[in-house]
Amino acid sequence: MFKKLLFLMTFFFLVGSTFAQKPVNIQLVGTVQGFINKDRLIGVTIYLMQNDRTINKTFTDNYGNYTITGIINPQEDIDLLISKPGFVPKKVLFDLKTLKISRPNQTTLQLLEDLTVELYDQKQGVDLSFARIGYAEKFYWDQPSFTVKPDEKQKKDLDEKVKKAYEANKNAATTATYQNKAKQALDRKEYQKAVQYYDTALVMVPRDSITTVRRNEVVKIIEDLKKEEDNKKEFDRLKTAGDLAFADKKWNDAETNYLGAQKITPTDTYVKSQIGKIAAERQKEQESAKNKSAYDKAISDAVALVVKKSYNEAIEKYKFALTLQPEKKEFIDGEILKVKNKMADTALEVVVLKELKTAAEFLNKNKLDDAITQYKATEKTITGFTDPNLVTKYSKEINDGLQKVRDKKNSEEETYQSQLTKAQENYNKGRNFYSVAKTILNSDPMKSKSTVPQVVELKEKITKMEAYYSERDKTYQTVAAKKDNESIEQLTALLNNSVFQQKIASTNEKAQLQKSIDSLKALKPVVAVTPPKNTPPPTPPTTKLAAPGELVAGPEPQSVFNDLYETVEKRKAQPLDQQQGYKDRIEFERQYEAALVATRQEEEKTRLYNFKDNKDVLARQVGNELEKNQYELENRKLLTEIAAEKRDVEARLDQAKTADIITSWKDKTDYHNIIYQEEIAKQYQAQVKSIDKNKDENEMKARQINSDEEIRQAQIEKGVEKLNYARYKQDSLAKTEQEVRGYQIQKMMDYKSEIVASENNLTDENGVPFERNKMTEKVYQIKNSAGEVITVIVRRVVVDNNGHGVVFEQITSDSGRTHYTRNGAPVPDFVWFNDSTGINVIQR
């Protein structure tokens, strides 16, 4: 009976306790970041667990944020498991045993406003196995504040241990690095550097015995080398002193120094040889003293023969003197060389005098070019003199002769230039003065210049202009005869004349012909046309383009890109300077673009003011330009949106889902909360059934770690597959939208305005008008204060037949960025490659 009562009491106690433990729906919100760099981590798996069973799991979004909820029993501990490949998994404990729910209708309890979890980075060589054991962080429920409080000591102690592990690995790696550098220095025999590297390694690990032994070995090598170097210096000093004394024939001093050097290095053969030479020289001096008088007489006779210019006999005397005193060989060889040089100078002087005489004859005969050639040849001849006095003497004669030739040549050149200028002036006065110009060109002073390119070119211009005016007179006779169709054809043919293609005739002449054609076409009743007067038409307003940089001249201006490449390569070795340069260039480009846009706007205002009478046409043109600009803006927005969508599509989806959940929590009633709780309960029951079905409790406890890791890996792979599938769907959708927009953009690009753009008369920075119906390309460069090329600008100006010009620019900076503009406004690269060539504008 007593046993039955005890059983019933225990049963009712357990039942009562079970009913007292009412489940609670909790929520955790926060971020996950790395321990070292504090970067937010995406794709981190977070499990909410209780009693070794998974309540719920989630992943961090593209901003490292997460939100996880679940129904738990507050009387039992809660585990939060956070893991990501490349980081140490972390377990967080929540002890809610003291939790008391004061509000019966409490549905979801948020344990913390924000829980930031830091995962320890796994690094090669760092042992963080201790961080996998137990809980990395602990939180306990604080009923008065109605939130959880962290066990700060738990987290602080573990963080310190991890930091020490990182530091120990860093010191070991640094020590190994410096030991390796020391070994490399030893291989290169840079012993002082090796000691420095060993000292640095000992600073990191002061008691490393291997490093200490190796350092002492290197110090011993340095001391031995120092001793050897000191001995070598002393040996070199004594040897040098002995050589100097030997050269001065101070045999005693030389012998003393050589013997001292021999004590330091007994095996040196040079010192031993020099000591033997000293003995031989002493013996020679004794022998040479016997025949000194005969030697002196032979030298005296040789000098006298040189004065008489008997050079061969003098050389023989010197050779005889050498037999008497062989030790004087160096002196005698020098004297013989001087005699031979005098012989050569005498023979060469005869040649120079002959050449100077020939040059003077050419000058007298007025053959100036031949005289200059001869004088230049003589300049090369006198370089053969060994006597500098002869070079100075004949250089003066050559310079005087050349100056006479130049004076005479300048006089003729002044006459030629004067006559050429007069001929050009008469040519510029018009057709009535062509005969005067030809007379001047055929005058006597100009006959010798008949083949000069300027003279030939001016004669050809006069001939072509005379032929042109002859044709023009015939054409205007046809106009006067009221033959309109024939007149238009002949006037059009005149416009295609070579004098316009080669820019021989003035632009006013071409404009006058075009005006005549337009007048004939505009006439309804055909009236007689009289030849136009020579009054020049009014000069239309022009638009001058400022140079964006320094113009690159030369046959290959594109070679400036090589200079830009050199600047880029140089900057790679200077990262900090390169970053500052990027910043400065970005600011400059912004200011430049702003100034360029302001300039274009001002030019547009001026153009509108000049053509204000054509309001309707201008309005249509402005509308068309605005429409095109809108198309370009849409295209730029499209490219930006596509790039942004590829990077942020997952973030937008997650944010949309999170926003919907938050909105439903804030704006909806308890009905939505009940549905949400039911869904969570179903998931919880399904997970419990799945775990109970596949594993019994004993197997789960025996293989807890392996089972959990396998399940988590499978879930991660499944999540990755879902994520990849979602990305594939989004990419497919984005690709379809891109193709549709691309079709629309292509349709916009194919749009052609029927309105004829009015002329704007563009000129370059020098005021030279750009040719019509042509694309003109110029290359500019911008340099920094160091003279380095930092920007290359390729400008293309496309002008149509109506004189309307469009300016395209390709701007390449040393940062590697290239962008394009049209009339100062940014455009995509395909506009540059398709429109800047003028292929759709220029008529062939």
Side-chain angles (χ1 to χ4, degrees):
M1 184 66 182
F2 176 76
K3 292 182 178 179
K4 290 182 177 180
L5 289 174
L6 182 61
F7 172 76
L8 290 174
M9 290 175 65
T10 303
F11 174 76
F12 285 117
F13 175 76
L14 292 174
V15 172
S17 299
T18 302
F19 284 109
Q21 296 174 354
K22 184 179 180 180
V24 177
N25 188 20
I26 65 167
Q27 180 185 38
L28 288 170
V29 179
T31 59
V32 180
Q33 63 186 26
F35 180 72
I36 296 178
N37 296 327
K38 309 302 181 186
D39 295 334
R40 294 194 175 188
L41 305 178
I42 65 174
V44 179
T45 307
I46 303 173
Y47 298 89
L48 181 63
M49 304 181 67
Q50 192 173 46
N51 287 336
D52 297 328
R53 291 183 297 180
T54 301
I55 304 300
N56 196 3
K57 78 169 184 178
T58 186
F59 300 93
T60 55
D61 60 16
N62 283 0
Y63 299 97
N65 301 321
Y66 70 89
T67 301
I68 189 167
T69 59
I71 299 176
I72 56 93
N73 182 357
Q75 297 303 315
E76 297 178 356
D77 293 340
I78 305 169
D79 293 343
L80 194 67
L81 179 62
I82 304 98
S83 65
K84 179 179 175 64
F87 296 85
V88 178
K90 177 176 280 192
K91 288 181 68 176
V92 181
L93 172 68
F94 291 90
D95 185 352
L96 306 180
K97 292 185 180 64
T98 60
L99 171 64
K100 293 181 180 180
I101 303 296
S102 59
R103 290 175 292 177
N105 61 347
Q106 179 83 33
T107 58
T108 300
L109 175 63
Q110 184 168 334
L111 299 183
L112 283 170
E113 290 185 1
D114 179 79
L115 175 59
T116 300
V117 180
E118 295 181 345
L119 292 182
Y120 301 128
D121 306 64
Q122 290 182 343
K123 286 191 171 183
Q124 186 176 3
V126 181
D127 183 13
L128 297 180
S129 59
F130 61 86
R132 299 175 180 268
I133 303 173
Y135 293 99
E137 298 184 42
K138 293 182 180 180
F139 292 85
Y140 299 93
W141 180 258
D142 182 59
Q143 188 64 25
S145 63
F146 207 71
T147 184
V148 292
K149 296 293 185 180
D151 184 352
E152 295 182 354
K153 186 176 183 305
Q154 176 82 6
K155 181 177 185 300
K156 182 178 179 182
D157 292 345
L158 187 58
D159 287 350
E160 288 298 326
K161 290 180 68 177
V162 171
K163 289 180 180 178
K164 289 180 179 179
Y166 285 149
E167 189 66 25
N169 179 70
K170 181 180 178 182
N171 290 342
T174 304
T175 300
T177 299
Y178 283 111
Q179 288 178 345
N180 186 40
K181 289 184 178 179
K183 184 178 180 303
Q184 293 175 357
L186 287 174
D187 293 340
R188 297 191 300 269
K189 296 184 178 180
E190 298 176 351
Y191 301 109
Q192 292 292 348
K193 284 188 177 180
V195 171
Q196 294 174 1
Y197 287 135
Y198 282 133
D199 288 341
T200 305
L202 288 172
V203 170
M204 306 301 298
V205 184
R207 298 180 180 178
D208 187 70
S209 59
I210 296 177
T211 304
T212 303
V213 170
R214 291 178 179 174
R215 180 189 181 279
N216 293 336
E217 291 175 352
V218 177
V219 171
K220 181 65 169 58
I221 292 174
I222 292 175
E223 292 175 352
D224 293 343
L225 290 175
K226 180 68 168 58
K227 183 177 180 180
E228 183 180 348
E229 183 180 358
D230 292 341
N231 289 336
K232 185 177 183 305
K233 287 182 179 179
E234 180 64 16
F235 173 82
D236 291 340
R237 186 188 69 78
L238 293 172
K239 174 178 166 296
T240 302
D243 289 340
L244 293 174
F246 186 90
D248 294 338
K249 298 184 179 181
K250 298 177 180 179
W251 312 122
N252 294 332
D253 293 341
E255 187 176 29
T256 301
N257 287 306
Y258 283 139
L259 289 173
Q262 194 174 40
K263 288 181 181 180
I264 297 174
T265 310
T267 59
D268 188 81
T269 57
Y270 174 79
V271 173
K272 186 176 181 180
S273 173
Q274 290 296 101
I275 293 174
K277 288 181 180 180
I278 291 174
E281 291 296 331
R282 284 172 174 167
Q283 185 176 358
K284 288 181 180 179
E285 286 183 353
Q286 295 174 0
E287 294 176 355
S288 64
K290 300 176 182 179
N291 51 12
K292 188 175 183 305
S293 58
Y295 167 81
D296 292 339
K297 185 177 185 306
I299 295 296
S300 178
D301 294 342
V303 171
L305 290 171
V306 170
V307 173
K308 295 179 181 179
K309 294 185 179 182
S310 300
Y311 300 118
N312 291 325
E313 295 176 3
I315 291 173
E316 293 299 326
K317 280 292 182 182
Y318 278 124
K319 290 181 179 179
F320 172 72
L322 182 60
T323 61
L324 299 175
Q325 296 281 347
E327 68 276 7
K328 302 290 186 179
K329 185 177 187 307
E330 183 178 357
F331 167 74
I332 293 175
D333 286 345
E335 294 299 315
I336 291 174
L337 179 61
K338 291 179 182 179
V339 174
K340 290 181 178 179
N341 288 339
K342 287 185 178 182
M343 290 175 63
D345 289 346
T346 302
L348 185 61
E349 189 173 11
V350 175
V351 176
V352 170
L353 291 173
K354 183 177 180 181
E355 290 181 353
L356 289 175
K357 181 179 179 182
T358 302
E361 291 175 354
F362 284 139
L363 177 60
N364 294 331
K365 294 179 181 179
N366 212 24
K367 295 181 180 180
L368 304 181
D369 292 335
D370 293 339
I372 291 175
T373 301
Q374 185 60 62
Y375 278 124
K376 293 294 183 182
T378 307
E379 279 184 336
K380 295 180 180 179
T381 303
I382 65 175
T383 57
F385 283 126
T386 59
D387 188 354
N389 295 326
L390 292 175
V391 175
T392 303
K393 173 184 176 183
Y394 290 109
S395 292
K396 184 177 183 307
E397 291 189 20
I398 292 172
N399 291 334
D400 292 342
L402 286 172
Q403 187 60 43
K404 291 179 182 179
V405 175
R406 292 191 191 100
D407 293 341
K408 198 166 187 180
K409 204 172 182 62
N410 290 338
S411 176
E412 292 184 357
E413 184 66 22
E414 288 177 1
T415 304
Y416 157 71
Q417 290 294 341
S418 175
Q419 292 294 95
L420 182 62
T421 302
K422 290 180 182 179
Q424 185 68 47
E425 289 175 353
N426 282 279
Y427 167 76
N428 294 337
K429 290 179 181 180
R431 60 186 299 185
N432 295 331
F433 294 88
Y434 288 165
S435 59
V436 178
K438 288 195 294 184
T439 301
I440 294 172
L441 292 175
N442 294 325
S443 60
D444 290 338
M446 301 295 287
K447 287 182 179 180
S448 61
K449 302 290 185 178
S450 60
T451 58
V452 175
Q454 292 89 336
V455 175
V456 174
E457 181 183 0
L458 185 56
K459 287 182 178 180
E460 290 179 353
K461 285 183 178 180
I462 294 173
T463 302
K464 290 181 179 180
M465 287 302 298
E466 286 178 341
Y468 162 75
Y469 279 118
S470 176
E471 291 295 326
R472 199 190 75 161
D473 292 342
K474 294 178 182 179
T475 300
Y476 277 115
Q477 290 176 3
T478 306
V479 173
K482 299 182 180 180
K483 299 178 181 179
D484 295 343
N485 294 333
E486 186 177 350
S487 299
I488 292 174
E489 291 179 359
Q490 293 181 3
L491 287 171
T492 303
L494 276 179
L495 281 176
N496 297 325
N497 195 293
S498 61
V499 296
F500 294 113
Q501 302 298 328
Q502 300 176 7
K503 298 183 180 180
I504 297 174
S506 64
T507 55
N508 293 337
E509 184 69 27
K510 187 175 183 179
Q512 189 64 41
L513 290 176
Q514 186 64 49
K515 184 176 180 181
S516 300
I517 294 173
D518 295 341
S519 299
L520 289 173
K521 291 180 178 179
L523 289 176
K524 292 185 179 178
V526 179
V527 296
V529 179
T530 58
K533 297 181 180 179
N534 290 329
T535 303
T539 303
T542 61
T543 302
K544 186 176 182 180
L545 300 179
E550 179 186 348
L551 180 64
V552 180
E556 296 182 357
Q558 297 289 343
S559 62
V560 73
F561 282 98
N562 296 333
D563 299 334
L564 180 62
Y565 175 76
E566 292 179 359
T567 301
V568 173
E569 290 299 316
K570 184 177 180 181
R571 295 292 176 83
K572 287 181 179 178
Q574 303 172 345
L576 294 178
D577 294 344
Q578 186 180 18
Q579 292 176 5
Q580 185 63 35
Y582 288 160
K583 180 179 178 182
D584 296 342
R585 281 192 294 278
I586 290 172
E587 293 178 356
F588 170 76
E589 289 176 1
R590 289 176 179 173
Q591 295 176 359
Y592 172 76
E593 290 178 359
L596 191 59
V597 170
T599 303
R600 297 304 182 196
Q601 291 175 349
E602 187 64 28
E603 292 177 354
E604 184 67 15
K605 290 179 182 179
T606 304
R607 189 178 67 83
L608 291 174
Y609 178 79
N610 292 334
F611 294 94
K612 62 182 179 180
D613 295 334
N614 301 325
K615 292 182 179 179
D616 294 337
V617 175
L618 289 174
R620 289 195 298 271
Q621 289 178 344
V622 171
N624 185 32
E625 290 295 330
L626 289 175
E627 185 177 3
K628 290 182 178 179
N629 291 338
Q630 184 64 28
Y631 291 158
E632 294 172 0
L633 181 60
E634 289 295 331
N635 181 39
R636 292 177 61 197
K637 289 173 64 179
L638 170 63
L639 296 176
T640 305
E641 289 172 0
I642 290 173
E645 286 174 359
K646 287 182 178 179
R647 292 192 304 265
D648 302 329
V649 61
E650 295 177 359
R652 291 202 302 272
L653 292 175
D654 293 339
Q655 289 175 355
K657 291 179 181 179
T658 305
D660 292 339
I661 293 173
I662 294 173
T663 303
S664 66
W665 287 344
K666 291 181 178 179
D667 302 332
K668 302 298 181 180
T669 59
D670 291 340
Y671 171 77
H672 294 281
N673 291 330
I674 293 171
I675 294 176
Y676 179 77
Q677 292 176 6
E678 291 176 352
E679 291 177 351
I680 296 299
K682 289 179 181 180
Q683 293 178 2
Y684 172 77
Q685 294 172 1
Q687 291 173 355
V688 171
K689 289 179 181 179
S690 176
I691 295 173
D692 292 340
K693 183 179 179 181
N694 295 323
K695 303 287 183 180
D696 55 47
E697 292 183 353
N698 293 330
E699 292 176 350
M700 288 180 63
K701 290 179 180 178
R703 297 183 297 174
Q704 177 182 357
I705 297 177
N706 293 335
S707 177
D708 287 347
E709 291 297 328
E710 291 174 358
I711 292 172
R712 289 166 189 162
Q713 184 64 30
Q715 290 173 343
I716 290 172
E717 291 176 355
K718 186 176 180 181
V720 171
E721 290 176 357
K722 290 182 178 179
L723 187 61
N724 291 335
Y725 178 71
R727 287 180 176 173
Y728 171 76
K729 290 173 63 178
Q730 292 296 328
D731 291 341
S732 299
L733 181 61
K735 183 177 181 181
T736 303
E737 293 177 353
Q738 183 178 2
E739 291 176 353
V740 173
R741 292 189 182 183
Y743 171 77
Q744 294 174 350
I745 292 172
Q746 186 62 40
K747 186 176 180 181
M748 295 174 186
M749 291 171 55
D750 294 337
Y751 171 79
K752 294 184 179 179
S753 175
E754 298 297 332
I755 300 174
V756 178
S758 59
E759 60 180 345
N760 51 10
N761 299 311
L762 297 180
T763 65
D764 62 11
E765 62 272 12
N766 298 321
V768 179
F770 290 98
E771 296 185 46
R772 296 191 178 192
N773 197 37
K774 184 178 181 181
M775 186 276 287
T776 303
E777 179 179 291
K778 292 186 177 182
V779 180
Y780 300 85
Q781 63 181 1
I782 297 176
K783 298 181 178 179
N784 58 14
S785 59
E788 301 170 341
V789 178
I790 59 174
T791 305
V792 177
I793 303 171
V794 180
R795 171 181 283 177
R796 293 178 179 176
V797 181
V798 180
V799 183
D800 59 15
N801 276 328
N802 299 316
H804 178 75
V806 180
V807 182
F808 298 88
E809 289 184 347
Q810 171 189 286
I811 304 171
T812 304
S813 65
D814 59 349
S815 64
R817 292 179 57 247
T818 301
H819 62 277
Y820 309 90
T821 64
R822 179 174 64 188
N823 291 335
V827 295
D829 55 356
F830 66 81
V831 174
W832 166 266
F833 290 112
N834 294 330
D835 295 349
S836 68
T837 58
I839 190 171
N840 297 325
V841 176
I842 298 174
Q843 299 180 5
R844 303 295 181 185

